Amino acid sequence: MIETADHDGIAVLTLNHGPVNALDLELLTAVPDTLAAVADARAVVLTGSGRSFSAGVDLKRIVDGGPPYVEKFLPALSLAMLGLFGHPKPVVAAVNGHALAGGCVLAAACDIRLMSHGTIGLAELAAGVPFPTVPLEIMRHAVGPALDAMVLGAGRLSPHQAASIGLVHEIVEPDALLTAALRRADGLCAAPPDVYAFSKHQLHRPAREHIAAARPSEDPQVLELWSAGRTARILRDYLASLRGD
């Protein structure tokens, strides 16, 4: 589900979960567990297997599982994103293909984002569901004023478009992506680990404060909307449109 490899003290985590690394309860639960298992690594590189980094939430599981599944899924989503965002060591995303919706947020939760090809963007509103607080604030931290257009427009960005708003820091040829990500991770390790962790903590303070303030009121509304019967119907129609039915 998440493969791990060591490259001179840098942990490479590869999402390997179905054809497009869709985010379901099991994969999200594995994220904090895997980060804990590589806590002693100098840095982390996160990438995907196959043609996608991650195509986002497994919406079919949301529809099939109904409210009981959603009630477990949404907290797991927030916990996974927070674990990646708050990891004290350098974290570099090697975006090897499409990074959509939750996959885009996974990349945004990393300190540095390299991308080789594919598209990246937020499709939640197009699918008919709102953002939980944690993913929204992580995206706000990553792209600032560009977030409005990303959320409300629900479009896909090319690597060059993503670079123009700071969502992607470097565009790399596919064959060189992992090597470039390891190089960037190694460069970030030049700072003493405690200094890097403290600096990251300072930079993330506004996002964490917004999360703490908004979650008690917003996340129950998000759960209600994701669990609604109307949402299930919208998601079925959205999935059918993706299949071309």
Side-chain angles (χ1 to χ4, degrees):
M1 193 167 294
I2 301 180
E3 299 174 352
T4 63
D6 178 83
H7 290 256
D8 192 25
I10 297 173
V12 176
L13 310 184
T14 303
L15 305 175
N16 188 4
H17 190 52
V20 294
N21 301 313
L23 304 180
D24 60 12
L25 181 60
E26 292 75 19
L27 179 57
L28 291 170
T29 302
V31 171
D33 291 344
T34 305
L35 288 171
V38 299
D40 292 335
R42 296 191 297 129
V44 170
V45 169
L46 179 68
T47 192
S49 62
R51 65 181 187 271
S52 293
F53 178 76
S54 171
V57 173
D58 188 337
L59 296 177
K60 187 176 185 300
R61 289 286 302 277
I62 297 292
V63 171
D64 292 345
Y69 179 80
V70 172
E71 191 170 356
K72 295 177 181 178
F73 175 84
L74 288 177
L77 176 69
S78 294
L79 186 62
M81 301 299 184
L82 278 176
L84 194 59
F85 188 60
H87 190 70
K89 304 290 183 62
V91 183
V92 175
V95 183
N96 58 298
H98 298 307
L100 304 175
C104 176
V105 182
L106 271 184
C110 300
D111 305 339
I112 297 291
R113 297 168 290 277
L114 281 60
M115 189 171 183
S116 58
H117 63 289
T119 57
I120 186 168
L122 302 173
E124 277 76 1
L125 262 65
V129 291
F131 274 84
T133 305
V134 169
L136 187 66
E137 294 304 328
I138 288 174
M139 289 303 308
R140 196 189 313 277
H141 173 82
V143 300
L147 181 62
D148 285 10
M150 287 193 70
V151 171
L152 300 177
R156 297 185 178 194
L157 304 176
S158 69
H160 287 282
Q161 290 172 320
S164 73
I165 62 170
L167 180 56
V168 167
H169 298 103
E170 184 179 349
I171 300 170
V172 184
E173 290 296 321
D175 291 346
L177 180 62
L178 182 57
T179 298
L182 289 167
R183 183 184 68 248
R184 291 295 289 264
D186 186 60
L188 294 175
C189 292
D194 55 343
V195 173
Y196 189 92
F198 183 70
S199 299
K200 190 169 174 176
H201 177 83
Q202 289 178 305
L203 290 169
H204 288 184
R205 185 185 301 119
R208 289 185 289 102
E209 289 176 349
H210 290 154
I211 289 168
R215 282 187 83 179
S217 61
E218 290 183 359
D219 278 7
Q221 296 180 62
V222 171
L223 174 60
E224 182 179 352
L225 288 167
W226 277 64
S227 301
R230 179 195 65 182
T231 301
R233 292 191 295 273
I234 292 171
L235 288 176
R236 287 191 190 96
D237 291 343
Y238 179 73
L239 289 169
S241 71
L242 294 179
R243 295 192 302 266
D245 293 355

